[in-house]
Tab-separated table of all heavy atoms in Angstrom:
chain	number	residue	atom	x	y	z
A	1	MET	N	0.836	-1.195	0.000
A	1	MET	CA	0.000	0.000	0.000
A	1	MET	C	0.877	1.254	0.000
A	1	MET	O	0.663	2.187	-0.769
A	1	MET	CB	-0.909	-0.041	1.249
A	1	MET	CG	-1.928	1.080	1.283
A	1	MET	SD	-3.052	0.978	-0.124
A	1	MET	CE	-3.735	2.599	-0.143
A	2	ARG	N	1.916	1.252	0.895
A	2	ARG	CA	2.802	2.425	0.967
A	2	ARG	C	3.475	2.660	-0.374
A	2	ARG	O	3.686	3.779	-0.795
A	2	ARG	CB	3.856	2.212	2.054
A	2	ARG	CG	3.337	2.566	3.430
A	2	ARG	CD	4.417	2.529	4.452
A	2	ARG	NE	5.448	3.539	4.180
A	2	ARG	CZ	6.659	3.467	4.700
A	2	ARG	NH1	7.002	2.479	5.470
A	2	ARG	NH2	7.553	4.392	4.438
A	3	LYS	N	3.798	1.518	-1.038
A	3	LYS	CA	4.484	1.643	-2.314
A	3	LYS	C	3.572	2.312	-3.347
A	3	LYS	O	4.008	3.186	-4.106
A	3	LYS	CB	4.910	0.248	-2.792
A	3	LYS	CG	5.841	0.330	-3.941
A	3	LYS	CD	6.683	-0.892	-4.099
A	3	LYS	CE	7.644	-0.641	-5.251
A	3	LYS	NZ	8.035	-1.830	-5.925
A	4	ILE	N	2.303	1.936	-3.319
A	4	ILE	CA	1.359	2.513	-4.286
A	4	ILE	C	1.220	4.014	-4.016
A	4	ILE	O	1.280	4.848	-4.921
A	4	ILE	CB	-0.020	1.812	-4.200
A	4	ILE	CG1	0.167	0.351	-4.605
A	4	ILE	CG2	-1.051	2.511	-5.072
A	4	ILE	CD1	-1.045	-0.505	-4.459
A	5	THR	N	1.086	4.374	-2.723
A	5	THR	CA	0.952	5.798	-2.378
A	5	THR	C	2.167	6.557	-2.878
A	5	THR	O	2.071	7.641	-3.444
A	5	THR	CB	0.880	5.947	-0.834
A	5	THR	OG1	0.044	4.949	-0.335
A	5	THR	CG2	0.387	7.307	-0.439
A	6	PHE	N	3.331	5.961	-2.663
A	6	PHE	CA	4.574	6.614	-3.056
A	6	PHE	C	4.614	6.831	-4.577
A	6	PHE	O	4.956	7.906	-5.062
A	6	PHE	CB	5.738	5.725	-2.593
A	6	PHE	CG	7.061	6.170	-3.114
A	6	PHE	CD1	7.677	7.288	-2.583
A	6	PHE	CD2	7.676	5.497	-4.159
A	6	PHE	CE1	8.893	7.713	-3.072
A	6	PHE	CE2	8.887	5.918	-4.660
A	6	PHE	CZ	9.494	7.029	-4.109
A	7	ILE	N	4.203	5.817	-5.310
A	7	ILE	CA	4.223	5.945	-6.775
A	7	ILE	C	3.226	7.022	-7.217
A	7	ILE	O	3.514	7.845	-8.076
A	7	ILE	CB	3.934	4.578	-7.444
A	7	ILE	CG1	5.151	3.679	-7.199
A	7	ILE	CG2	3.664	4.731	-8.939
A	7	ILE	CD1	5.009	2.261	-7.666
A	8	ILE	N	2.067	7.078	-6.554
A	8	ILE	CA	1.084	8.108	-6.920
A	8	ILE	C	1.672	9.493	-6.660
A	8	ILE	O	1.606	10.386	-7.504
A	8	ILE	CB	-0.243	7.912	-6.149
A	8	ILE	CG1	-0.893	6.610	-6.614
A	8	ILE	CG2	-1.187	9.093	-6.359
A	8	ILE	CD1	-2.105	6.180	-5.834
A	9	LEU	N	2.332	9.657	-5.483
A	9	LEU	CA	2.939	10.959	-5.158
A	9	LEU	C	3.949	11.359	-6.226
A	9	LEU	O	3.975	12.490	-6.699
A	9	LEU	CB	3.711	10.871	-3.830
A	9	LEU	CG	2.908	10.914	-2.538
A	9	LEU	CD1	3.841	10.909	-1.342
A	9	LEU	CD2	2.046	12.160	-2.510
A	10	THR	N	4.761	10.389	-6.593
A	10	THR	CA	5.794	10.655	-7.590
A	10	THR	C	5.154	11.097	-8.906
A	10	THR	O	5.573	12.063	-9.530
A	10	THR	CB	6.612	9.369	-7.815
A	10	THR	OG1	6.982	8.864	-6.549
A	10	THR	CG2	7.844	9.640	-8.627
A	11	LEU	N	4.100	10.399	-9.288
A	11	LEU	CA	3.438	10.739	-10.555
A	11	LEU	C	2.806	12.117	-10.486
A	11	LEU	O	2.864	12.891	-11.438
A	11	LEU	CB	2.367	9.682	-10.884
A	11	LEU	CG	2.944	8.320	-11.284
A	11	LEU	CD1	1.837	7.273	-11.380
A	11	LEU	CD2	3.688	8.427	-12.625
A	12	VAL	N	2.230	12.436	-9.323
A	12	VAL	CA	1.587	13.748	-9.172
A	12	VAL	C	2.634	14.834	-9.374
A	12	VAL	O	2.418	15.807	-10.092
A	12	VAL	CB	0.954	13.854	-7.761
A	12	VAL	CG1	0.602	15.294	-7.431
A	12	VAL	CG2	-0.292	12.994	-7.686
A	13	ILE	N	3.813	14.652	-8.785
A	13	ILE	CA	4.839	15.690	-8.902
A	13	ILE	C	5.361	15.783	-10.321
A	13	ILE	O	5.399	16.869	-10.904
A	13	ILE	CB	5.999	15.408	-7.913
A	13	ILE	CG1	5.497	15.646	-6.487
A	13	ILE	CG2	7.191	16.325	-8.215
A	13	ILE	CD1	6.462	15.230	-5.424
A	14	ILE	N	5.701	14.637	-10.914
A	14	ILE	CA	6.310	14.778	-12.237
A	14	ILE	C	5.298	15.167	-13.309
A	14	ILE	O	5.646	15.711	-14.333
A	14	ILE	CB	7.174	13.556	-12.638
A	14	ILE	CG1	6.375	12.275	-12.622
A	14	ILE	CG2	8.382	13.445	-11.760
A	14	ILE	CD1	7.228	11.036	-12.805
Side-chain angles (χ1 to χ4, degrees):
M1 186 62 198
R2 277 188 64 199
K3 191 157 183 208
I4 296 175
T5 317
F6 171 74
I7 290 175
I8 294 172
L9 282 184
T10 311
L11 289 171
V12 165
I13 290 172
I14 58 189

